[in-house]
């Protein structure tokens, strides 16, 4: 485009339409397949978001369980062992914490308190 | 008692030989159960810290101490945690007692050797006038002053309830203190007749080359197996239903590590001294276990792990004796029920460490809390496995007899608890120096020392052998 200003050529010589400068772009109609794909992607993103929030809140519950000093030190033993110890000593630890740990038995984040910063994958 | 029975029978030594000699059947224990499963270690992971033991010990003992505090100082005594303490307020605090000893070796000072500071000399006793007592609960600690005699306490580690108030400078002035009471005791269902004995010996000290103790040892074995004395002695020996060897079966010299400092070419063909000593022990055990059930506890100088609870010696070290089912290799500390009488036996590494700390030598007679925990100073001065689930050294049931081996002298004391518990505390002397063992009557729980000695006087020509009760 020619940006040099010439007084004569301020107005186009021909009677032009605005669509000469701003070309009209026809909105392409998406095919059904592409629409579905997009919707699926959005849903996946939403689910991931929900899961992440769930993970955060679960870990928060477990963190509160760890920091509850009544049950003794939390480093060096797994959460399940600590829960069982509290149970044996008669301190009545909450059952939902145990269920939570058992539901995610294979996840190392749930299993033990890590000393240091917790890295949550985003 | 033992010798009285022996004396009742007439002397038969100098009679002409008969076609068939008399035979005495050994009394058989009707029930024996080994209750030391909690001292056996399965998987051993040392990745844990020792904070877990102290935490579980405090949690386990706290209810008992609160109850005792209420009994002693009134039902409405305020029991507070250290974080809730107000200055000047008289209340009771429950926590772990910790004794801060300047002379105790510290790993940090060892590391400081790198910085060319003087290394600490190894000491026999860690106590000093400048020691301090500190009370720790779950979250905080506070120094204790007045009211509590620092020198009376061996190491720390026991759970204590103190009654007093906090001063302005942050120290706690103690008016009174108490330990937990003895745990509940099951009634004793001992045998009815007076004829059952258990023989206890400790500190055999094999391998040291001490001829006197070897002679004494052989006399002991011969007496127990009925090869000594006339019919009176033999019938009395038949009433010994069990023999327990409580630790330090090998002598201190077995621990020497001279071969580590020598050059390899000099030490290539030499055998460790403990190999001979173990062979000797195997021979003794064969003689004993062929005739009487034997329990063998490891001790400080024996080839087993150093940390408490010590695991049993391995049976492959005793090829001859391990064949007999009467020989049992057990842990240290050892808990068992023999004929309805509950025993806790310990080969005293603990008392050795307690001697490093107190001024009074007869520590057994002092604190009752020794009965509640077998090893309060673990893991502070005594090595210990990092337990996390429960502290196995807190005894939940009061035993009837509590033995401690390798003491310098034989001592006996009966302790009575508040609920009518009666415990007999016995210190078994070290056999290699004193040639004395103990006989316990299972019915009356009386304990009698039995010593074996040979008088070797250079001036006299004949040697006199004396087996005295």
């Amino acid at each position: 485009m020619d940006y040099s200003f010439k007084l004569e050529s301020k107005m186009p010589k021909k009677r032009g339409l605005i669509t000469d400068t701003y070309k009209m772009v026809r909105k392409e109609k998406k095919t059904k397949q592409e629409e579905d794909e997009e919707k699926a992607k959005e849903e996946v993103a939403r689910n991931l978001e929900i899961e992440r929030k769930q993970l955060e809140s679960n870990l928060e519950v477990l963190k509160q369980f760890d920091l509850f000093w009544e049950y003794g030190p939390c480093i060096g033993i797994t959460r399940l062992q600590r829960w069982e110890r509290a149970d044996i000593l008669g301190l009545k630890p909450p059952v939902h914490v145990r269920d939570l740990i058992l539901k995610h038995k294979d996840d190392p984040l749930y299993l033990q308190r890590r000393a240091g910063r917790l890295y949550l994958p985003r | 008692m033992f010798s009285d029975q022996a004396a009742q029978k007439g002397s038969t030594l100098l009679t002409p030989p008969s076609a068939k000699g008399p035979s005495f059947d050994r009394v058989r224990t009707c029930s024996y159960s080994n209750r030391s499963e909690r001292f056996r270690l399965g998987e051993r992971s040392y990745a844990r810290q020792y904070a877990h033991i102290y935490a579980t010990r405090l949690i386990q003992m706290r209810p008992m101490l609160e109850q005792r505090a209420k009994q002693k100082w009134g039902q409405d005594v305020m029991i507070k945690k250290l974080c809730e303490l107000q200055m000047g307020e008289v209340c009771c605090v429950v926590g772990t007692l910790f004794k801060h000893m300047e002379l105790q070796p510290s790993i940090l000072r060892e590391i400081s050797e790198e910085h060319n500071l003087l290394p600490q000399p190894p000491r026999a006793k860690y106590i000093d006038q400048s020691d301090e007592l500190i009370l720790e609960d779950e979250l905080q600690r506070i120094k204790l002053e007045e009211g509590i005699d620092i020198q009376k306490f061996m190491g720390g580690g026991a759970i204590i309830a103190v009654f007093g108030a906090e001063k302005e400078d942050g120290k706690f002035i103690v008016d009174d203190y108490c330990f937990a009471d003895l745990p509940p005791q099951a009634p004793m269902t001992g045998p009815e007749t007076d004829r059952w004995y258990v023989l206890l010996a400790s500190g055999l000290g094999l391998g040291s080359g001490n001829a006197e103790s070897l002679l004494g040892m052989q006399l002991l074995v011969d007496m127990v197996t009925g090869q000594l004395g006339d019919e009176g002695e033999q019938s009395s020996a038949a009433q010994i239903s069990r023999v327990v060897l409580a630790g330090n079966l090998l002598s201190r010299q077995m621990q020497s590590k001279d071969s580590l400092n020598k050059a390899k070419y000099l030490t290539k063909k030499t055998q460790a001294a403990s190999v001979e000593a173990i062979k000797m022990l195997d021979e003794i055990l064969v003689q004993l276990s062929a005739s009487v059930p034997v329990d063998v506890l490891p001790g400080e100088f024996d080839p087993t792990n150093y940390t408490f609870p010590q695991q049993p010696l391995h049976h492959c070290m005793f090829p001859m004796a391990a064949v007999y089912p009467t020989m049992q290799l057990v842990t240290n500390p050892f808990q068992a029920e023999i004929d309805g009488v509950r025993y806790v036996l310990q080969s005293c590494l603990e008392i050795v460490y307690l001697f490093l700390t107190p001024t009074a030598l007869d520590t057994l007679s002092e604190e009752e809390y020794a009965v509640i925990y077998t090893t309060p100073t673990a893991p502070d001065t005594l090595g210990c496995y990092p337990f996390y689930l429960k502290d196995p050294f807190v005894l939940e049931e009061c035993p009837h007899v509590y033995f401690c081996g390798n003491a310098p002298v034989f001592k006996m004391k009966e302790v009575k608890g508040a609920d009518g518990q009666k415990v007999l505390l016995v210190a078994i002397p070290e056999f290699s120096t004193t040639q004395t063992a103990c006989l316990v009557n299972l019915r009356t729980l009386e304990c009698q020392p039995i010593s074996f000695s040979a008088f070797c006087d250079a001036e006299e020509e004949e040697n006199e052998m004396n087996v005295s009760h």
Side-chain angles (χ1 to χ4, degrees):
Chain A
M1 264 188 135
D2 189 12
Y3 285 102
S4 59
F5 278 25
K6 292 182 204 151
L7 274 171
E8 315 80 48
S9 62
K10 236 191 178 172
M11 206 109 91
K13 290 205 165 70
K14 247 192 329 190
R15 214 175 185 43
L17 301 166
I18 191 149
T19 50
D20 288 339
T21 14
Y22 294 100
K23 293 265 182 276
M24 195 160 86
V25 176
R26 194 169 286 268
K27 191 170 173 187
E28 278 174 29
K29 239 208 179 106
K30 284 189 212 154
T31 56
K32 193 85 168 101
Q33 196 189 16
E34 282 174 9
E35 266 188 28
D36 286 340
E37 272 177 25
E38 264 197 30
K39 276 206 188 126
K41 269 191 225 165
E42 273 175 37
E43 189 145 336
V44 163
R46 250 182 292 148
N47 284 345
L48 272 178
E49 186 63 32
I50 294 176
E51 267 181 35
R52 202 182 61 80
K53 286 223 169 80
Q54 184 68 26
L55 178 69
E56 265 186 30
S57 76
N58 283 350
L59 289 178
E60 183 62 32
V61 165
L62 290 178
K63 179 178 157 191
Q64 290 307 319
F65 170 68
D66 283 336
L67 295 179
F68 197 59
W69 59 266
E70 315 266 350
Y71 303 146
C74 63
I75 303 276
I77 51 175
T78 64
R79 285 191 176 121
L80 205 56
Q81 284 172 332
R82 188 160 176 260
W83 195 96
E84 270 155 24
R85 174 175 79 187
D87 198 27
I88 288 174
L89 292 171
L91 302 167
K92 299 200 189 60
V95 188
H96 67 266
V97 170
R98 182 162 189 262
D99 295 335
L100 188 61
I101 301 173
L102 285 177
K103 240 195 317 183
H104 302 263
K105 244 191 312 199
D106 305 317
D107 192 351
L109 279 177
Y110 282 77
L111 219 49
Q112 194 156 1
R113 173 144 190 89
R114 295 291 158 97
R117 274 189 86 182
L118 193 62
Y119 171 67
L120 267 181
R122 272 186 200 270
Chain B
M1 26 164 192
F2 199 71
S3 48
D4 296 339
Q5 292 175 18
Q8 273 164 22
K9 299 226 167 167
S11 174
T12 48
L13 272 178
L14 295 176
T15 52
S18 54
K20 184 168 177 270
S23 73
F24 302 98
D25 284 329
R26 191 177 293 281
V27 291
R28 238 172 265 171
T29 49
C30 44
S31 74
Y32 166 76
S33 67
N34 184 348
R35 284 163 186 241
S36 319
E37 294 82 30
R38 51 155 145 208
F39 298 123
R40 298 296 312 248
L41 298 174
E43 49 89 33
R44 291 176 215 191
S45 148
Y46 285 86
R48 274 189 288 271
Q49 298 215 353
Y50 290 105
H52 297 276
I53 299 189
Y54 285 116
T56 47
R57 200 185 282 177
L58 184 55
I59 297 176
Q60 276 179 273
M61 304 284 314
R62 187 179 267 276
M64 290 189 246
L65 268 154
E66 288 182 354
Q67 198 184 17
R68 183 86 201 277
K70 289 202 168 108
Q71 275 175 2
K72 202 165 177 192
W73 301 310
Q75 280 295 324
D76 27 323
V77 64
M78 280 192 290
I79 300 182
K80 292 201 155 183
K81 299 220 189 325
L82 283 178
C83 47
E84 300 162 0
L85 272 188
Q86 306 266 347
M87 194 153 351
E89 194 188 4
V90 172
C91 59
C92 159
V93 186
V94 175
T96 313
L97 191 66
F98 177 68
K99 189 171 179 194
H100 178 75
M101 296 176 282
E102 275 302 316
L103 299 179
Q104 187 177 4
S106 153
I107 187 70
L108 297 174
R109 284 187 220 157
E110 274 180 41
I111 296 175
S112 73
E113 283 172 24
E114 295 172 357
H115 298 272
N116 295 328
L117 295 171
L118 288 169
Q120 295 174 300
R123 288 178 199 271
K125 280 193 154 69
Y126 296 155
I127 48 163
D128 195 39
Q129 291 307 314
S130 64
D131 291 340
E132 291 166 344
L133 279 178
I134 296 174
L135 184 78
E136 274 187 26
D137 81 356
E138 289 98 348
L139 301 173
Q140 292 185 359
R141 47 158 50 183
I142 197 168
K143 230 181 253 191
L144 297 178
E145 271 193 358
E146 284 182 33
I148 201 165
D149 185 12
I150 296 178
Q151 303 305 332
K152 201 175 169 200
F153 289 95
M154 316 123 202
I159 310 286
I160 190 176
V162 288
F163 185 69
E166 190 188 348
K167 227 172 48 173
E168 297 87 37
D169 57 356
K171 299 193 185 159
F172 196 88
I173 302 288
V174 177
D175 293 329
D176 198 5
Y177 63 90
C178 74
F179 292 101
D181 211 359
L182 295 177
Q185 187 181 54
M188 189 175 91
T189 55
E192 286 82 31
T193 56
D194 206 8
R195 300 181 343 120
W196 307 57
Y197 292 91
V198 170
L199 181 79
L200 296 148
S202 81
L204 301 179
L206 293 169
S208 61
N210 185 358
E212 271 188 35
S213 79
L214 281 179
L215 180 61
M217 188 69 234
Q218 197 55 47
L219 283 176
L220 174 82
V221 172
D222 285 340
M223 188 210 82
V224 170
T225 51
Q227 290 163 19
L228 202 66
D230 67 348
E231 285 182 21
E233 308 268 337
Q234 285 175 332
S235 67
S236 305
Q239 290 164 16
I240 296 179
S241 63
R242 199 163 201 97
V243 172
V244 183
L245 298 174
N248 278 354
L249 307 159
L250 302 186
S251 71
R252 190 184 278 267
Q253 281 95 335
M254 298 296 108
Q255 294 244 303
S256 76
K257 298 194 176 119
D258 288 338
S259 55
L260 285 177
N261 296 333
K262 285 198 194 141
K264 271 277 190 260
Y265 70 92
L266 288 171
T267 57
K268 225 177 189 172
K269 292 270 171 69
T270 52
Q271 211 181 35
S274 48
V275 175
E276 278 306 314
I278 289 280
K279 281 193 195 154
M280 225 186 306
L281 180 63
D282 194 20
E283 282 163 15
I284 291 177
L285 284 178
V286 147
Q287 291 173 49
L288 274 178
S289 43
S291 153
V292 67
V294 184
D295 286 329
V296 184
L297 264 81
E300 193 186 347
F301 306 129
D302 292 329
T304 182
N305 55 317
Y306 163 75
T307 53
F308 248 46
Q310 287 183 302
Q311 300 301 290
L313 298 166
H314 203 280
H315 63 89
C316 68
M317 288 196 284
F318 309 110
M320 295 192 280
V323 182
Y324 290 96
T326 46
M327 186 177 83
Q328 298 239 12
L329 298 161
V330 292
T331 58
N332 169 28
F334 171 57
Q335 201 175 345
E337 185 173 333
I338 304 176
D339 286 326
V341 181
R342 295 227 164 86
Y343 294 80
V344 172
L345 230 167
Q346 193 175 328
S347 146
C348 264
L349 252 186
E350 169 70 356
I351 293 285
V352 168
Y353 275 99
L354 298 187
F355 284 164
L356 285 178
T357 53
T359 47
L361 268 184
D362 50 338
T363 56
L364 258 190
S365 51
E366 291 289 343
E367 306 292 359
E368 292 174 39
Y369 75 78
V371 185
I372 304 177
Y373 324 75
T374 52
T375 52
T377 60
D380 192 19
T381 45
L382 196 61
C384 162
Y385 174 74
F387 293 101
Y388 74 94
L389 201 55
K390 267 188 151 186
D391 187 359
F393 302 119
V394 173
L395 297 176
E396 277 128 22
E397 250 174 8
C398 193
H400 299 110
V401 199
Y402 186 94
F403 296 104
C404 186
N406 297 312
V409 287
F410 171 74
K411 245 186 175 349
M412 206 169 81
K413 188 181 190 213
E414 184 149 331
V415 164
K416 290 199 172 47
D419 293 329
Q421 299 105 330
K422 279 200 311 188
V423 190
L424 180 67
L425 302 178
V426 183
I428 310 173
E430 207 176 334
F431 198 84
S432 54
T433 46
T434 58
Q435 275 92 53
T436 311
C438 284
L439 269 175
V440 180
N441 184 334
L442 285 184
R443 188 181 68 88
T444 59
L445 287 188
E446 276 167 20
C447 196
Q448 195 187 22
I450 173 170
S451 64
F452 305 86
S453 59
F455 290 105
C456 300
D457 205 356
E459 288 171 34
E460 285 186 46
E461 291 205 356
E462 49 195 351
N463 291 339
E464 228 182 348
M465 294 233 203
N466 183 13
V467 178
S468 64
H469 300 285

PDB file of all heavy atoms in Angstrom, chain B residues 376-392:
ATOM      1  N   PRO B 376      14.717 -46.170  78.528  1.00  0.00           N
ATOM      2  CA  PRO B 376      14.300 -44.788  78.282  1.00  0.00           C
ATOM      3  C   PRO B 376      15.318 -43.969  77.523  1.00  0.00           C
ATOM      4  O   PRO B 376      14.952 -43.055  76.805  1.00  0.00           O
ATOM      5  CB  PRO B 376      14.085 -44.223  79.694  1.00  0.00           C
ATOM      6  CG  PRO B 376      14.822 -45.112  80.588  1.00  0.00           C
ATOM      7  CD  PRO B 376      14.824 -46.452  79.961  1.00  0.00           C
ATOM      8  N   THR B 377      16.615 -44.286  77.667  1.00  0.00           N
ATOM      9  CA  THR B 377      17.568 -43.403  77.002  1.00  0.00           C
ATOM     10  C   THR B 377      17.802 -43.767  75.545  1.00  0.00           C
ATOM     11  O   THR B 377      18.610 -43.131  74.895  1.00  0.00           O
ATOM     12  CB  THR B 377      18.930 -43.412  77.705  1.00  0.00           C
ATOM     13  OG1 THR B 377      19.419 -44.747  77.676  1.00  0.00           O
ATOM     14  CG2 THR B 377      18.830 -42.915  79.108  1.00  0.00           C
ATOM     15  N   ALA B 378      17.132 -44.778  75.051  1.00  0.00           N
ATOM     16  CA  ALA B 378      17.186 -44.991  73.602  1.00  0.00           C
ATOM     17  C   ALA B 378      16.308 -43.948  72.958  1.00  0.00           C
ATOM     18  O   ALA B 378      15.220 -43.732  73.444  1.00  0.00           O
ATOM     19  CB  ALA B 378      16.707 -46.388  73.267  1.00  0.00           C
ATOM     20  N   PRO B 379      16.542 -43.325  71.864  1.00  0.00           N
ATOM     21  CA  PRO B 379      17.784 -43.433  71.114  1.00  0.00           C
ATOM     22  C   PRO B 379      18.836 -42.383  71.454  1.00  0.00           C
ATOM     23  O   PRO B 379      19.732 -42.151  70.678  1.00  0.00           O
ATOM     24  CB  PRO B 379      17.301 -43.230  69.684  1.00  0.00           C
ATOM     25  CG  PRO B 379      16.122 -42.330  69.822  1.00  0.00           C
ATOM     26  CD  PRO B 379      15.539 -42.553  71.160  1.00  0.00           C
ATOM     27  N   ASP B 380      18.761 -41.773  72.620  1.00  0.00           N
ATOM     28  CA  ASP B 380      19.711 -40.711  72.904  1.00  0.00           C
ATOM     29  C   ASP B 380      21.137 -41.237  73.110  1.00  0.00           C
ATOM     30  O   ASP B 380      22.029 -40.997  72.323  1.00  0.00           O
ATOM     31  CB  ASP B 380      19.238 -39.947  74.152  1.00  0.00           C
ATOM     32  CG  ASP B 380      19.991 -38.668  74.347  1.00  0.00           C
ATOM     33  OD1 ASP B 380      20.589 -38.189  73.385  1.00  0.00           O
ATOM     34  OD2 ASP B 380      20.001 -38.141  75.460  1.00  0.00           O
ATOM     35  N   THR B 381      21.371 -41.950  74.211  1.00  0.00           N
ATOM     36  CA  THR B 381      22.721 -42.478  74.410  1.00  0.00           C
ATOM     37  C   THR B 381      22.826 -43.927  73.968  1.00  0.00           C
ATOM     38  O   THR B 381      23.900 -44.475  73.895  1.00  0.00           O
ATOM     39  CB  THR B 381      23.129 -42.412  75.893  1.00  0.00           C
ATOM     40  OG1 THR B 381      22.038 -42.876  76.675  1.00  0.00           O
ATOM     41  CG2 THR B 381      23.478 -41.008  76.292  1.00  0.00           C
ATOM     42  N   LEU B 382      21.707 -44.555  73.675  1.00  0.00           N
ATOM     43  CA  LEU B 382      21.736 -45.957  73.313  1.00  0.00           C
ATOM     44  C   LEU B 382      21.211 -46.076  71.890  1.00  0.00           C
ATOM     45  O   LEU B 382      20.158 -45.548  71.576  1.00  0.00           O
ATOM     46  CB  LEU B 382      20.804 -46.700  74.271  1.00  0.00           C
ATOM     47  CG  LEU B 382      20.929 -48.191  74.345  1.00  0.00           C
ATOM     48  CD1 LEU B 382      22.289 -48.564  74.807  1.00  0.00           C
ATOM     49  CD2 LEU B 382      19.890 -48.705  75.306  1.00  0.00           C
ATOM     50  N   GLY B 383      21.938 -46.777  71.030  1.00  0.00           N
ATOM     51  CA  GLY B 383      21.485 -46.883  69.646  1.00  0.00           C
ATOM     52  C   GLY B 383      20.192 -47.650  69.566  1.00  0.00           C
ATOM     53  O   GLY B 383      19.955 -48.587  70.305  1.00  0.00           O
ATOM     54  N   CYS B 384      19.355 -47.271  68.616  1.00  0.00           N
ATOM     55  CA  CYS B 384      18.031 -47.871  68.561  1.00  0.00           C
ATOM     56  C   CYS B 384      17.531 -47.811  67.134  1.00  0.00           C
ATOM     57  O   CYS B 384      17.931 -46.953  66.366  1.00  0.00           O
ATOM     58  CB  CYS B 384      17.152 -47.076  69.514  1.00  0.00           C
ATOM     59  SG  CYS B 384      15.425 -47.263  69.273  1.00  0.00           S
ATOM     60  N   TYR B 385      16.675 -48.735  66.764  1.00  0.00           N
ATOM     61  CA  TYR B 385      16.107 -48.731  65.427  1.00  0.00           C
ATOM     62  C   TYR B 385      15.009 -47.661  65.362  1.00  0.00           C
ATOM     63  O   TYR B 385      14.244 -47.529  66.292  1.00  0.00           O
ATOM     64  CB  TYR B 385      15.527 -50.115  65.133  1.00  0.00           C
ATOM     65  CG  TYR B 385      14.798 -50.175  63.831  1.00  0.00           C
ATOM     66  CD1 TYR B 385      15.492 -50.187  62.637  1.00  0.00           C
ATOM     67  CD2 TYR B 385      13.421 -50.188  63.803  1.00  0.00           C
ATOM     68  CE1 TYR B 385      14.824 -50.225  61.437  1.00  0.00           C
ATOM     69  CE2 TYR B 385      12.748 -50.229  62.602  1.00  0.00           C
ATOM     70  CZ  TYR B 385      13.455 -50.248  61.421  1.00  0.00           C
ATOM     71  OH  TYR B 385      12.785 -50.285  60.237  1.00  0.00           O
ATOM     72  N   PRO B 386      14.919 -46.920  64.269  1.00  0.00           N
ATOM     73  CA  PRO B 386      13.892 -45.868  64.229  1.00  0.00           C
ATOM     74  C   PRO B 386      12.490 -46.412  64.036  1.00  0.00           C
ATOM     75  O   PRO B 386      11.979 -46.488  62.937  1.00  0.00           O
ATOM     76  CB  PRO B 386      14.324 -44.993  63.051  1.00  0.00           C
ATOM     77  CG  PRO B 386      15.153 -45.861  62.194  1.00  0.00           C
ATOM     78  CD  PRO B 386      15.821 -46.848  63.091  1.00  0.00           C
ATOM     79  N   PHE B 387      11.863 -46.790  65.123  1.00  0.00           N
ATOM     80  CA  PHE B 387      10.475 -47.245  65.054  1.00  0.00           C
ATOM     81  C   PHE B 387       9.573 -46.071  64.763  1.00  0.00           C
ATOM     82  O   PHE B 387       9.887 -44.944  65.084  1.00  0.00           O
ATOM     83  CB  PHE B 387      10.060 -47.838  66.399  1.00  0.00           C
ATOM     84  CG  PHE B 387      10.783 -49.107  66.717  1.00  0.00           C
ATOM     85  CD1 PHE B 387      11.844 -49.108  67.594  1.00  0.00           C
ATOM     86  CD2 PHE B 387      10.386 -50.292  66.144  1.00  0.00           C
ATOM     87  CE1 PHE B 387      12.510 -50.275  67.892  1.00  0.00           C
ATOM     88  CE2 PHE B 387      11.046 -51.466  66.438  1.00  0.00           C
ATOM     89  CZ  PHE B 387      12.114 -51.458  67.309  1.00  0.00           C
ATOM     90  N   TYR B 388       8.431 -46.313  64.153  1.00  0.00           N
ATOM     91  CA  TYR B 388       7.515 -45.203  63.925  1.00  0.00           C
ATOM     92  C   TYR B 388       6.120 -45.501  64.401  1.00  0.00           C
ATOM     93  O   TYR B 388       5.362 -44.617  64.748  1.00  0.00           O
ATOM     94  CB  TYR B 388       7.471 -44.841  62.437  1.00  0.00           C
ATOM     95  CG  TYR B 388       6.712 -45.836  61.586  1.00  0.00           C
ATOM     96  CD1 TYR B 388       5.372 -45.643  61.308  1.00  0.00           C
ATOM     97  CD2 TYR B 388       7.323 -46.978  61.099  1.00  0.00           C
ATOM     98  CE1 TYR B 388       4.662 -46.564  60.565  1.00  0.00           C
ATOM     99  CE2 TYR B 388       6.626 -47.889  60.361  1.00  0.00           C
ATOM    100  CZ  TYR B 388       5.292 -47.686  60.085  1.00  0.00           C
ATOM    101  OH  TYR B 388       4.603 -48.593  59.350  1.00  0.00           O
ATOM    102  N   LEU B 389       5.757 -46.784  64.406  1.00  0.00           N
ATOM    103  CA  LEU B 389       4.361 -47.098  64.686  1.00  0.00           C
ATOM    104  C   LEU B 389       4.095 -47.030  66.192  1.00  0.00           C
ATOM    105  O   LEU B 389       3.184 -46.376  66.644  1.00  0.00           O
ATOM    106  CB  LEU B 389       4.071 -48.500  64.158  1.00  0.00           C
ATOM    107  CG  LEU B 389       2.623 -48.840  63.899  1.00  0.00           C
ATOM    108  CD1 LEU B 389       2.010 -47.834  62.969  1.00  0.00           C
ATOM    109  CD2 LEU B 389       2.516 -50.210  63.289  1.00  0.00           C
ATOM    110  N   LYS B 390       4.918 -47.713  66.940  1.00  0.00           N
ATOM    111  CA  LYS B 390       4.743 -47.720  68.394  1.00  0.00           C
ATOM    112  C   LYS B 390       6.120 -47.868  68.995  1.00  0.00           C
ATOM    113  O   LYS B 390       6.979 -48.491  68.394  1.00  0.00           O
ATOM    114  CB  LYS B 390       3.952 -48.960  68.793  1.00  0.00           C
ATOM    115  CG  LYS B 390       2.497 -48.741  68.883  1.00  0.00           C
ATOM    116  CD  LYS B 390       1.840 -49.949  69.461  1.00  0.00           C
ATOM    117  CE  LYS B 390       0.603 -49.482  70.195  1.00  0.00           C
ATOM    118  NZ  LYS B 390      -0.055 -50.505  70.901  1.00  0.00           N
ATOM    119  N   ASP B 391       6.285 -47.348  70.197  1.00  0.00           N
ATOM    120  CA  ASP B 391       7.556 -47.562  70.866  1.00  0.00           C
ATOM    121  C   ASP B 391       7.495 -48.930  71.545  1.00  0.00           C
ATOM    122  O   ASP B 391       6.748 -49.090  72.508  1.00  0.00           O
ATOM    123  CB  ASP B 391       7.752 -46.436  71.899  1.00  0.00           C
ATOM    124  CG  ASP B 391       9.115 -46.484  72.523  1.00  0.00           C
ATOM    125  OD1 ASP B 391       9.908 -47.385  72.176  1.00  0.00           O
ATOM    126  OD2 ASP B 391       9.407 -45.623  73.356  1.00  0.00           O
ATOM    127  N   PRO B 392       8.261 -49.910  71.077  1.00  0.00           N
ATOM    128  CA  PRO B 392       8.098 -51.241  71.660  1.00  0.00           C
ATOM    129  C   PRO B 392       8.684 -51.344  73.051  1.00  0.00           C
ATOM    130  O   PRO B 392       8.485 -52.336  73.744  1.00  0.00           O
ATOM    131  CB  PRO B 392       8.866 -52.158  70.694  1.00  0.00           C
ATOM    132  CG  PRO B 392       9.888 -51.287  70.117  1.00  0.00           C
ATOM    133  CD  PRO B 392       9.285 -49.914  70.030  1.00  0.00           C
TER     134      PRO B 392
END
